[in-house]
Amino acid sequence: MLSMECDPYPRHFFERSPDVVAFDLIGSHLVVRRGSHTTYALIVETEAYGGSDDPASHSFRGPTPRSEVMFGPAGVLYVYRSYGIHWCVNVVTGMVGLAGAVLLRGAEIVDRSEELAGPESDAVVLRGPGNLSRGLGITDADNHLDCCQSSQGRIAFCGGLQDVARDRIGRTPRLGISKGVERVSRYFLIGHRAVSGSRIQNVTSA
DNA sequence: ACCACGATGCACT
DNA sequence: GTGCATCGTGGTT
């Protein structure tokens, strides 16, 4: 069992462009606390949305009841329903007024203080945004949750045990979208089993 | 009020 | 590779 102490990333970590944050989150940890249980997940795949002029972003047409959180302070969770089934977990980036977010698409649970529910591989490898939210128990109840409050916050981001070398991070266009397909804003740890998409997409170097 | 469709994932062929 | 479950959102009527 790992002993993982870490300070949550401060708000200014997220007050940058979504692409920079998406890149820097690869190899970082997501910490989810519920009661006495704490789960640590290594982030291995992200996508950047928003900034200026991104037709694939929910912020593209200005704030709506769903997307207004993307226009607010950075470091806050944006959770929305996808295909009527899955939850997608984002963290808001950028400065107030310039909407942006990073979608969490892949992670591996590296430490948790509770019993595994099912076959270990199923519960540990969180491949795809729907599996990631389900495996960590994140739902719309966590929408608007501030991840920069304090080390006692329910969900926080913190640094990895060691830095990931830049040449181990791949970069491709984003998956599953029909607009803004040319933008290269998907980042992932090359070869990691929790990275979604085809094998080719999983070995393309940055 | 209506309706097309989506930042998906899984079962099945 | 194809089909489909399942529903909130937002653009349109």
Side-chain angles (χ1 to χ4, degrees), chain A residues 55-68:
Chain A
S57 174
H58 292 167
S59 63
F60 184 59
R61 288 176 226 277
T64 66
R66 180 178 66 165
S67 68
E68 57 85 15

Side-chain angles (χ1 to χ4, degrees), chain A residues 39-116:
Chain A
T39 300
Y40 295 85
L42 178 72
I43 299 169
V44 300
E45 185 183 359
T46 60
E47 283 179 356
Y49 287 87
S52 58
D53 197 38
D54 176 12
S57 174
H58 292 167
S59 63
F60 184 59
R61 288 176 226 277
T64 66
R66 180 178 66 165
S67 68
E68 57 85 15
V69 62
M70 291 183 68
F71 293 79
V76 171
L77 286 193
Y78 167 39
V79 182
Y80 71 91
R81 176 82 82 174
S82 174
Y83 288 90
I85 304 172
H86 316 285
W87 298 109
C88 287
V89 183
N90 302 250
V91 59
V92 175
T93 69
M95 306 303 290
V96 172
L98 182 61
V102 172
L103 171 68
L104 305 181
R105 291 190 55 96
E108 177 177 11
I109 293 177
V110 292
D111 186 25
R112 70 169 132 197
S113 59
E114 57 186 314
E115 297 296 316
L116 294 171

Side-chain angles (χ1 to χ4, degrees), chain A residues 1-2 15 29 37 90-91 105 111 113 117 122 124 155 200:
Chain A
M1 195 64 84
L2 299 171
E15 290 175 334
H29 288 286
H37 297 308
N90 302 250
V91 59
R105 291 190 55 96
D111 186 25
S113 59
D122 291 350
V124 168
I155 297 177
I200 288 175

Side-chain angles (χ1 to χ4, degrees), chain A residues 3-56:
Chain A
S3 174
M4 308 189 65
E5 288 298 323
C6 61
D7 293 324
Y9 287 153
R11 193 161 325 277
H12 62 72
F13 176 91
F14 301 98
E15 290 175 334
R16 299 179 294 165
S17 80
D19 279 275
V20 172
V21 176
F23 182 91
D24 282 352
L25 281 179
I26 299 300
S28 298
H29 288 286
L30 181 60
V31 187
V32 180
R33 297 184 180 83
R34 51 178 98 268
S36 58
H37 297 308
T38 303
T39 300
Y40 295 85
L42 178 72
I43 299 169
V44 300
E45 185 183 359
T46 60
E47 283 179 356
Y49 287 87
S52 58
D53 197 38
D54 176 12

